[in-house]
Amino acid sequence: MADLMNVQAHVRLGSNAGQSMTRRDGVLKVTGRAPYAADRQPGGMLHAVTATAGIARGRVAHLDTAAALAHPGVVRVYTPANRPPLAEHPDTKIHGFAWRMEALQDDTVRYAGQPIALVVADTLEAATEGARLLNPRYEAEAPRIGLDGNTPYQPETVSIGRPPSLEAGDMDAARAGAARHLDTVVETAAQYHNALEPHAITAQWFGDRLEIDTPNQAIGLAKQSFATYLGIEPSQILIRSPFLGGGFGSKAILYGAQLLVVLAARDLDRPVKLALRRDQMFGPVGHRPATRQTLRLDLDEHGRIAALDHHTLAVASTFDDFIESASNASHSVYATTAMRTTHSAVRTDTGTPGPMRAPGEAPGSAALEVAIDEAAYALGMDPLAFRLLNYADTDPSTGMEFSSKALRECYERAADLFGWKDRPLEPRTMRQGRLLKGWGMGTAQFPCPMFQAAAHATLRADGSAVVETSAADMGQGAWTALAQIAADGLGIDIDRLEFRSGQSDLPDAGVAGGSGHTATAGTALFNAGADTVRQLADLATNDPASPLFGAGNAGVTARGGRLYRNDDESRSEAYEDILARAGLDLVRGEGKGAREGEAQRAMFSHGGVFAEVLVDPDLGQIRVNRLVGAFAVGRIVNPQLARSQLLGGMIWGVGFALHEEAIHDARTGRFTNNDLAGYHIPVNADIPMIEALTVHEDDPFVNALGIKGVGELGVTGTVGAIANAVWHATGVRPHRFPIHPESLI
């Protein structure tokens, strides 16, 4: 075999990757031709609607199934009394990324909005009317709602299997020697996934083979999960998830209604479709829980952080454990001699929380950045100068050196564009007309995980190629960025590439989450292309008729659909000519994507965000007037898409700081704002000026391609920046998110 190390070592990112290419699926979406799960209409399809609990705690005492079945369009009503069996109990956590589900296993009501029956009918209208006719009666108990609704407990893990506490250094000694001590308590409200596309599923059986259309962020994992609960082999299941209208983490995890639809389709031997209403997305499909965070900063006489103590009390459900790991946001931003991060939780009668864009880091960094700003003002220091003084070059929790030290440049670039040097230190000293003006900043940071993925790359006889992996595109542009990487891995132009994705019968692309999808699936695709090129080069360099014959030691480079000798670029050959002479119709390569070995460095994306707010001094109304962020995110595959994701994260930060808040009636445990009229999110008028810069960064440690994530980073610095700008404008320090106008008056 030819020595082709140069093929792999020379990362061919630039001819396709690195360019601001328009989304490959954009035309389909804007013309309405992109098929989503709820668009599938197989012949003979039935419609399903879930009846949901009107109480938060207790049991269903009676359902009028006779009235529902008397409706002429209703085909079947499923309750705990007649639900078809499952191979595994819905409360069984079959793997680390599984939640306990409500799938009519009993008559217990765990939270308001829980599915308590499934009505299947010929039409959606009939199913909806049948669900209404059930007229449930309950034996209700007093609900436990809110951070003070139950007795806190100590969880065994936080997030997905992470330790609940960490202590580094001598906390007592660091505190004893500190010159100043600051305590801060910050609360964040519950937030619920409200993607443009609600959760939906269409299920159809063909004998013992199941086909599912559902939006999903982890198709391979979902296929295994469905198979386990149904007692069949994964090979008997095909999941199609071609387009996702947003997910934010909620579409990576199975929920009970999906299982019920699959069971109904098998029981009735007809395809069944379910699409959740907007109000039904509040409860069963995860959310970001409320937190109360207590931070203590101990500062030495030079203004450096001697000790940092961060405790989080988070809301959990009564029947499962997903604990928002907010305190962990303090692990890797600021240098300190001693650190302690801890978590506790309170069980409430709500649906189980789950990963939601920047889980842990979003609420944790919001509280941390408020505390850091308070510390700067306590010392009479400019907040930027204080952060620069305390920026960590190594991860205080592990002692690992950062894989990037670009945060300082992010601070400088964003501050310069924003005009930070003109900022007066004292609050309430800037005005725009009668409005109070304030400037604030926050540090953005998010880890760079990698999962496991696989891909195939097939080079055809005409020099075109097809690549395959089951990647998920939730709107972030994955199908475009991944195709760019795949084309460069193969050394061809992207217009000669066919990209196949979104189905479970393709190689598993892992989880589209944690801002790690591009790095993971992209590495698999690039390696598949490199494997294909190696095989092609082996054919050519061992063929006396090829101009590349004997180039094994020197190696070859692939670009533009040709192989070039590294020692003599005048000698090259087109892919199709190599295949034709070998008598082959195709060459197929395989690739894997995963981080090799143990991490030797702390790996993060970084950024600095600066905000300007205007506050009405009489009404307390807050408007974000400007947002500027600069971010170091490794090699950027598509600048246009990366900027879009960073802007989206910053806009989410505006919503976190000023708008998003799920509200329960404490008496009943029911939502009072489970629609887009009462659950507020930013609109165009809330975002007048926003800019995201990227700082060039070559990170050789994060992965072979140097790719980091951008999707969740922008949230983390923005929330604190807005809160700190509100303080600067008003002199009132916000300690609760979202910031209510009445708290400023």
Side-chain angles (χ1 to χ4, degrees), residues 560-610:
R562 300 181 70 88
L563 293 182
Y564 294 82
R565 285 186 66 128
N566 288 337
D567 59 351
D568 183 0
E569 287 219 342
S570 67
R571 299 171 66 181
S572 68
E573 190 167 23
Y575 291 176
E576 50 263 52
D577 293 338
I578 299 171
L579 289 173
R581 196 168 49 252
L584 297 175
D585 293 328
L586 56 87
V587 174
R588 186 185 193 191
E590 297 186 356
K592 301 289 185 183
R595 182 164 284 139
E596 299 294 333
E598 293 295 322
Q600 300 301 313
R601 299 168 72 90
M603 300 176 186
F604 291 86
S605 297
H606 302 88
V609 181
F610 294 77

Side-chain angles (χ1 to χ4, degrees), residues 148-295:
D148 299 309
N150 211 338
T151 303
Y153 73 99
Q154 300 301 310
E156 295 182 3
T157 62
V158 296
S159 185
I160 301 175
R162 299 178 68 182
S165 62
L166 178 144
E167 188 159 351
D170 190 331
M171 182 67 70
D172 292 337
R175 282 183 166 176
R180 188 182 291 267
H181 314 280
L182 298 169
D183 293 284
T184 303
V185 179
V186 175
E187 290 192 4
T188 64
Q191 301 173 4
Y192 278 74
H193 302 91
N194 270 287
L196 283 175
E197 176 202 25
H199 292 62
I201 181 171
T202 303
Q204 185 172 12
W205 289 84
F206 298 88
D208 62 356
R209 187 170 61 85
L210 172 64
E211 292 189 5
I212 296 172
D213 290 85
T214 192
N216 192 274
Q217 298 173 228
I219 299 175
L221 189 61
K223 180 169 72 171
Q224 297 173 21
S225 299
F226 274 116
T228 300
Y229 286 113
L230 296 170
I232 61 178
E233 292 298 318
S235 59
Q236 296 173 257
I237 299 176
L238 173 64
I239 299 176
R240 287 181 291 259
S241 183
F243 293 91
L244 283 78
F248 314 126
S250 69
K251 291 175 180 172
I253 301 160
L254 257 60
Y255 57 98
Q258 289 177 303
L259 291 180
L260 296 177
V261 168
V262 170
L263 291 176
R266 181 162 61 180
D267 182 47
L268 299 170
D269 196 24
R270 290 176 65 180
V272 179
K273 180 172 78 172
L274 168 74
L276 297 186
R277 299 191 310 264
R278 179 63 57 186
D279 63 292
Q280 292 175 333
M281 293 177 62
F282 285 75
V285 296
H287 66 281
R288 194 195 309 279
T291 71
R292 179 180 295 142
Q293 300 173 56
T294 304
L295 294 95

Side-chain angles (χ1 to χ4, degrees), residues 97-405:
F97 208 65
W99 269 232
R100 295 188 172 99
M101 297 179 287
E102 308 78 54
L104 305 183
Q105 58 264 44
D106 54 42
D107 61 8
T108 303
V109 175
R110 295 164 159 175
Y111 58 91
Q114 173 189 318
I116 57 174
L118 185 77
V119 179
V120 183
D122 293 326
T123 66
L124 176 60
E125 292 79 8
T128 302
E129 182 67 6
R132 188 189 67 81
L133 291 170
L134 287 172
N135 193 24
R137 295 200 301 270
Y138 306 98
E139 292 178 1
E141 300 178 52
R144 297 157 293 187
I145 296 297
L147 288 161
D148 299 309
N150 211 338
T151 303
Y153 73 99
Q154 300 301 310
E156 295 182 3
T157 62
V158 296
S159 185
I160 301 175
R162 299 178 68 182
S165 62
L166 178 144
E167 188 159 351
D170 190 331
M171 182 67 70
D172 292 337
R175 282 183 166 176
R180 188 182 291 267
H181 314 280
L182 298 169
D183 293 284
T184 303
V185 179
V186 175
E187 290 192 4
T188 64
Q191 301 173 4
Y192 278 74
H193 302 91
N194 270 287
L196 283 175
E197 176 202 25
H199 292 62
I201 181 171
T202 303
Q204 185 172 12
W205 289 84
F206 298 88
D208 62 356
R209 187 170 61 85
L210 172 64
E211 292 189 5
I212 296 172
D213 290 85
T214 192
N216 192 274
Q217 298 173 228
I219 299 175
L221 189 61
K223 180 169 72 171
Q224 297 173 21
S225 299
F226 274 116
T228 300
Y229 286 113
L230 296 170
I232 61 178
E233 292 298 318
S235 59
Q236 296 173 257
I237 299 176
L238 173 64
I239 299 176
R240 287 181 291 259
S241 183
F243 293 91
L244 283 78
F248 314 126
S250 69
K251 291 175 180 172
I253 301 160
L254 257 60
Y255 57 98
Q258 289 177 303
L259 291 180
L260 296 177
V261 168
V262 170
L263 291 176
R266 181 162 61 180
D267 182 47
L268 299 170
D269 196 24
R270 290 176 65 180
V272 179
K273 180 172 78 172
L274 168 74
L276 297 186
R277 299 191 310 264
R278 179 63 57 186
D279 63 292
Q280 292 175 333
M281 293 177 62
F282 285 75
V285 296
H287 66 281
R288 194 195 309 279
T291 71
R292 179 180 295 142
Q293 300 173 56
T294 304
L295 294 95
R296 176 168 179 173
L297 273 65
D298 299 274
L299 310 173
D300 68 17
E301 65 274 17
H302 303 294
R304 291 186 172 88
I305 301 172
L308 195 165
D309 195 338
H310 190 164
H311 176 74
T312 295
L313 172 65
V315 166
S317 73
T318 60
F319 56 96
D320 207 349
D321 289 298
F322 179 91
I323 313 302
E324 189 81 359
S325 55
S327 294
N328 291 358
S330 287
H331 283 179
S332 310
V333 187
Y334 300 108
T336 179
T337 305
M339 172 184 293
R340 179 166 57 210
T341 59
T342 54
H343 296 82
S344 59
V346 56
R347 295 202 181 278
T348 64
D349 297 305
T350 61
T352 301
M356 186 171 179
R357 199 172 192 181
E361 278 82 5
S365 65
L368 175 64
E369 290 303 305
V370 167
I372 289 293
D373 210 66
E374 287 193 44
Y377 270 91
L379 296 170
M381 289 184 65
D382 176 80
L384 175 56
F386 181 76
R387 285 170 172 83
L388 287 169
L389 177 67
N390 286 284
Y391 165 63
D393 289 332
T394 58
D395 185 334
S397 65
T398 64
M400 288 184 179
E401 184 180 356
F402 280 128
S403 59
S404 168
K405 297 180 181 179

